[in-house]
């Protein structure tokens, strides 16, 4: 048609309106009035495709709880997110066409409430993004056309949703970022969780005479009777953190101070038990020939 201008807010007075709101292929502009949400008896055929309409899809359209078919809002300049309130259209059966728009944000999880939906979920060539909701896997009656190509969807395709693909003709999900973590594909929108340190692994290198305490995640000084040596080639921790333990001196060796990096040997005629801090002289009638 040659219609121009905006859709009047007063159309919200059509509270008994049921079918065929038909205004495609026109020069209508401006936003969709929120007052259209008052058409609570509306059941089918909302056509506003190929217009110059702008702004967001009003959340109030979620009041059309008896709506069943043909929500056609493709090829215009509608923007912003898909309202979560659209999930209230639980009688919706077919033809949700919002392709080639400026819609952004994620697909609401609430659309999984459309459990009777059978055909034409078409949202391709827009600016929708983020992970696909697992809840879309509840559209188990869908058999014709699921098209979301050329958006910015990311993360893995939910298993529940992918399971529908074999039963749907015209299933197209290409030209997205599926399989790539959203925090990598869209770093300005999504943040990667920091990689946790392995359980018990030190966050800093422990030096000679120190051991790693997993309870406090800190290096502690080995006590007398123990020792800890830096592994060969480690250059005292320069190459990275290691789990080092304070180890008890074996029998015949000792340390008499905290922070030892090796145990000393008992001399001839002396002995010690494991984890000793000193050596003891052999008793009468006993001896050691060499250091243990």
């Amino acid at each position: 048609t040659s219609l121009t201008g905006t859709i009047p807010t007063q159309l919200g007075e059509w509270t008994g309106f049921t079918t065929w709101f038909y205004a495609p292929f026109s020069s209508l502009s401006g936003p969709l009035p929120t007052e259209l949400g008052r058409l609570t008896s509306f059941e089918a055929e909302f056509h506003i495709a190929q217009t110059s309409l702008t702004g967001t899809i009003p959340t109030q359209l979620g009041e059309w709880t008896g709506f069943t078919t043909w929500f056609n809002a493709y090829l215009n300049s509608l923007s912003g997110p898909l309202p979560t309130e659209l999930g209230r259209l639980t009688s919706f059966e077919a033809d949700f066409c919002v392709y080639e728009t400026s819609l952004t944000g994620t697909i609401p999880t609430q659309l999984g409430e459309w459990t009777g939906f059978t055909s034409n979920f078409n949202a391709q060539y827009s600016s929708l993004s983020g992970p696909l909701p697992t809840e879309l896997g509840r559209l188990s009656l869908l058999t014709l056309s699921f098209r979301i190509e050329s958006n910015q969807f990311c993360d893995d395709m939910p298993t529940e949703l992918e399971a529908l693909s074999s039963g749907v003709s015209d299933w197209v999900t290409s030209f997205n970022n599926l399989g790539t973590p959203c925090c990598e594909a869209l770093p300005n929108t999504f943040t990667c969780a920091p990689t946790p340190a392995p359980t018990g692994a030190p966050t800093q290198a422990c030096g000679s005479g120190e051991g790693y305490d997993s309870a406090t995640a800190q290096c502690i000084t080995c006590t007398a009777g123990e020792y800890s040596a830096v592994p060969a080639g480690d250059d005292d921790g320069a190459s990275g953190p290691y789990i080092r333990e304070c180890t008890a001196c074996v029998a015949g060796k000792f340390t008499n101070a905290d922070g030892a990096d090796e145990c000393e040997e008992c001399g001839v005629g002396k002995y010690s038990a494991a984890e000793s801090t000193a050596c003891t002289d052999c008793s009468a009638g006993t001896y050691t020939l060499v250091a243990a």
Side-chain angles (χ1 to χ4, degrees), residues 145-167:
S145 192
F146 181 81
R147 298 192 59 172
I148 57 167
E149 72 267 26
S150 297
N151 280 284
Q152 299 180 61
F153 295 118
C154 45
D155 280 352
D156 292 332
M157 170 85 72
T159 303
E160 295 85 346
L161 179 57
E162 190 169 16
L164 303 182
S165 62
S166 60

Side-chain angles (χ1 to χ4, degrees), residues 5 23 28 62 75 83 85 123 125 132 136 173 245:
L28 289 173
L75 284 168
E85 289 80 0
Y125 298 104
L132 292 168
L136 287 184
T173 62
E245 296 180 352

Side-chain angles (χ1 to χ4, degrees), residues 73-221:
Y74 57 87
L75 284 168
N76 56 47
S77 297
L78 291 174
S79 59
L82 288 168
T84 60
E85 289 80 0
L86 292 181
R88 298 177 60 192
L89 278 58
T90 54
S91 298
F92 203 6
E93 297 177 359
D95 299 297
F96 181 64
C97 300
V98 292
Y99 57 87
E100 294 192 53
T101 66
S102 297
L103 291 171
T104 58
T106 59
I107 293 178
T109 61
Q110 290 84 349
L111 301 197
E113 299 299 319
W114 298 352
T115 54
F117 196 84
T118 62
S119 60
N120 295 322
F121 188 110
N122 295 337
Q124 65 268 33
Y125 298 104
S126 295
S127 296
L128 296 169
S129 62
L132 292 168
T134 299
E135 289 80 0
L136 287 184
R138 299 178 62 192
L139 277 58
S140 58
L141 299 182
L142 183 63
T143 57
L144 174 63
S145 192
F146 181 81
R147 298 192 59 172
I148 57 167
E149 72 267 26
S150 297
N151 280 284
Q152 299 180 61
F153 295 118
C154 45
D155 280 352
D156 292 332
M157 170 85 72
T159 303
E160 295 85 346
L161 179 57
E162 190 169 16
L164 303 182
S165 62
S166 60
V168 178
S169 60
D170 196 25
W171 177 278
V172 188
T173 62
S174 54
F175 299 104
N176 282 289
N177 296 300
L178 294 172
T180 301
C182 286
C183 60
E184 295 179 12
L186 303 169
N188 293 330
T189 305
F190 297 91
T191 302
C192 291
T195 303
T199 303
T203 55
Q204 62 187 38
C206 298
S208 296
E210 294 180 329
Y212 184 74
D213 179 26
S214 60
T216 62
Q218 298 291 327
C219 297
I220 58 173
T221 302

